[in-house]
Amino acid sequence: MNTTYAARAAAGALAALLVLAGCSSKAKDDDGDKAAAGGVKTGDGISGKTITLGALTDMTGVYATLGKSVTQAQQLYVKQLNAAGGVCGYKVRLSIRDHGYDPQKAVSGYTELEPKVLGFAQFIGSPFVAAVKQRIDGQDKGLVLPQAWSAALLGSPYIRVIGSTYDIETINAVDFLMQEKGIKKGDKIGHVYFEGDYGESALVGSRHVAQEEGLTVVEQKIKPTDNDMTAQVAALKQAGVKAIVISAGPRQAASLVGVAAAGGFNVPIIGNNSAFAPQLLATQAGPALMKNYYVSSPSLPIGADTPEAKKLVADYQAAYPKDALDNGIVAGWTAVSAFGEALKKACASKDLTREGVDKALLSIDSFDVGFGIAQDFTDPKSASSKQSVILQPDKSVTGGMKVVREAEASEMAEAYTPGA
C-alpha cells in the first residue's frame, strides 16, 4: 500500500470534519432533555428502559488482542451491572464497532454511533480520538473514556484519560532504566515510536528526561504497518544506545526484542502499556521478552494479588474460558467501571443527560477498582494519575506479567506538567 498512514489519518479525519462542518452530527430534540419517570432527566443515548454506551474497538488491526480483551471485559461488567438491577431502573447495553485501527473507519464509526449513545466506554487509538476531539468538545459533549493515553487529549472535560498519559508513563519508564538498569548521564537511549499522537506523545517524555538528565535520544519513527524492526535495531546498535524505549504495538515490540536478542544486542527495552500482549510469550521472541523486556503500566496487572483482581480473573475465565488473560481486561474493566460509577452518581442527582453524567465523573477524586492506582478525575487539564507500575513478562504467572516496581511517580514525573 503506497498511501502512508499519516496521510490516510489526515485525509479520513479531514474529510469527516469537512462534511460535518456545515451541519450538526445529529438533530437535537426540540423539547430538549426529557424528564423520565421518577423525575430523572434523560437525553441522548437513552431510549425506553435502555442506556446505550458506545465502544469503538480494534478487533482486526494492530491492537486486535487488546481490543478483544477490552470489549469482553466491558461486556462482562455490563452483564453483571444489569443482573444487579442496572442504573436508575435502566438496563445498560454496549453498541460495538470494530475500526481495525483504520483512521477512516474510526471516524465514521464515531459519526455513526455518537447520536445513538450516551457516551463511549471504549475508544481505542489516540490519533482517532484526537481526530474527533473538536466535535466532542464542541457540539457532542458526550463522555469518552478512551483506551488511549496521548497528552493531546488532556484539557477536555468530556475525554478523560484514565491513568498517566504516554509522556508521563515514558518519564517513569526512563526513570526505571536510570534507577535499576544503570543508564546514566551521557548515555544514549533509543526510542522507536509510532508516528501520530501515541508515539509522539511518548517521545515528548523521553526528550524531557534526556534534557533533565543529560541523555541523548536516538529516534526511530515507524508506521503501524511496519512489523519488522530489523532496520531499527541495526540503526540503534550502530548508534551505541544503552537502552531502548518502544511506543508501538505488541507485534513491533516482539520483533524489536527478538531481533536485538538474535543479534547479541543485549540492552534493556521498555515499552508503553499498549506495547505488549501475553500471547507473544508463545512465539520465538518469548525467551528474549522474559529476559530483557519491561512495560510501564497505568495499573497492576490482571494477575495482581488483590481480591478484586482475583474475582475479575475468576469471572472472566468463567465467561470466556478459551481466551487469554491480559492487561486489556484491566483497561476495559477500569474504564467501564468508571463510566458505571458516573452513571450511578448521575442517577442519584436525577440527571442522566450527557451533561449530568460528565458532571458526575468530574466529582470523582479517588477511583480504584482494585488494581493499585487511584484515579482523580476532577481536573481535566491533568492526568488522572502520574503513577506507573513497571512490569516484566513472565509466562509462569497469571496474565503473563509480574511486577518489578510497584506503583510510583518518579520525581521527574511529579514535577512535569504535560504541554508546559
Side-chain angles (χ1 to χ4, degrees), residues 22 42 93 129 149 156 165 188 198 201 242 291 360 383 396 404 409 419:
T42 63
R93 68 178 287 265
V129 184
W149 293 266
S156 168
T165 47
K188 295 179 181 178
Y198 162 24
S201 179
K242 299 291 180 66
K291 179 182 179 184
S396 71
V404 294

Side-chain angles (χ1 to χ4, degrees), residues 117-140:
V117 301
L118 179 56
F120 290 83
Q122 181 183 169
F123 198 158
I124 288 177
S126 292
F128 315 144
V129 184
V132 294
K133 181 176 184 291
Q134 187 175 351
R135 285 165 54 185
I136 295 168
D137 289 349
Q139 70 226 35
D140 298 343

Side-chain angles (χ1 to χ4, degrees), residues 80-150:
Q80 293 182 354
L81 178 67
N82 288 337
V87 176
C88 256
Y90 294 93
K91 298 295 184 183
V92 178
R93 68 178 287 265
L94 288 178
S95 188
I96 301 161
R97 297 293 182 275
D98 171 25
H99 59 54
Y101 213 74
D102 178 286
Q104 290 174 318
K105 288 181 179 178
V107 172
S108 63
Y110 174 82
T111 302
E112 178 207 347
L113 286 182
E114 183 276 324
K116 307 171 185 176
V117 301
L118 179 56
F120 290 83
Q122 181 183 169
F123 198 158
I124 288 177
S126 292
F128 315 144
V129 184
V132 294
K133 181 176 184 291
Q134 187 175 351
R135 285 165 54 185
I136 295 168
D137 289 349
Q139 70 226 35
D140 298 343
K141 295 181 170 57
L143 182 62
V144 178
L145 299 182
Q147 288 62 51
W149 293 266
S150 168

